[in-house]
Amino acid sequence: QDADGLAVTKAYAKQHGLKTIGDMSKVGSFTYGGPPENGTRFQGVKGLKEAYGLTKLKFKPLTIGSQYQALDQGKINSIAIFTTDGQLASKKYTVLTDTKGIFGYQQVVPVASKKVLAKEGSAFAQTLNEVSAKLTTDAIVAMNKAVQIDQKKPGDVAKQFLKANDLA
């Protein structure tokens, strides 16, 4: 699965004893960086304030992908993330547990038209199901890291995943 989330550096989490989003109330005032739409979304500032009572947060709009750099440089204290971001593979960040469920979850599933399934046959559908079964959050993070950070070609990363899981 993939979900939106909130992360801080491991050092910041340790310094303030943070494990859950609600623990951010211990910090008092803090900055939260994320895509501009997070300023008005319940899965952003609105939910953090309403569900968690984090009224002292200051929102900093950032383009997707730049939030990790801003966090690393100390320009902000917390960031909006996707739980499958390749940057999380570095283990430099703590994703805070969403005890109120404001971020929900999003299952990753293959989608194919009936026309394609009919044309390709049952072996194709079986392959899709086998790939889907192997797509754990950790596997997706690792592949995203390979593409986003290590600059590998998506097709090469996909082929490597298929070979490593005896699917090619």
Side-chain angles (χ1 to χ4, degrees), residues 5 8 13 16 31 70 80 82 85-86 90 100 109 130 137 149 167:
V8 297
H16 296 285
T31 53
F82 298 117
D85 283 344
S90 72
K100 305 279 186 183
V109 296
E130 289 175 12
T137 300
I149 304 210
L167 298 170

Side-chain angles (χ1 to χ4, degrees), residues 55-165:
T55 57
K56 295 182 181 179
L57 74 83
K58 296 172 189 166
F59 181 64
K60 172 118 175 120
L62 300 167
T63 58
I64 292 175
S66 69
Q67 72 269 34
Y68 288 95
Q69 183 178 9
L71 185 63
D72 290 343
Q73 293 173 349
K75 294 179 180 177
I76 53 178
N77 309 114
S78 63
I79 57 172
I81 57 100
F82 298 117
T83 57
T84 57
D85 283 344
Q87 292 88 338
L88 297 175
S90 72
K91 307 293 185 201
K92 295 185 336 185
Y93 309 101
T94 297
V95 178
L96 301 179
T97 303
D98 177 17
T99 59
K100 305 279 186 183
I102 68 169
F103 293 117
Y105 56 90
Q106 302 155 10
Q107 298 296 342
V108 178
V109 296
V111 177
S113 72
K114 289 181 182 181
K115 184 178 179 180
V116 169
L117 287 174
K119 179 182 175 193
E120 297 297 328
S122 62
F124 178 72
Q126 181 179 342
T127 300
L128 281 180
N129 288 332
E130 289 175 12
V131 169
S132 183
K134 301 285 185 180
L135 283 177
T136 64
T137 300
D138 288 341
I140 296 170
V141 168
M143 287 188 282
N144 283 342
K145 176 191 175 288
V147 173
Q148 296 166 343
I149 304 210
D150 301 336
Q151 302 295 303
K152 294 183 179 178
K153 293 179 183 176
D156 293 343
V157 173
K159 285 176 189 173
Q160 185 179 20
F161 170 81
L162 293 173
K163 285 181 185 176
N165 286 284

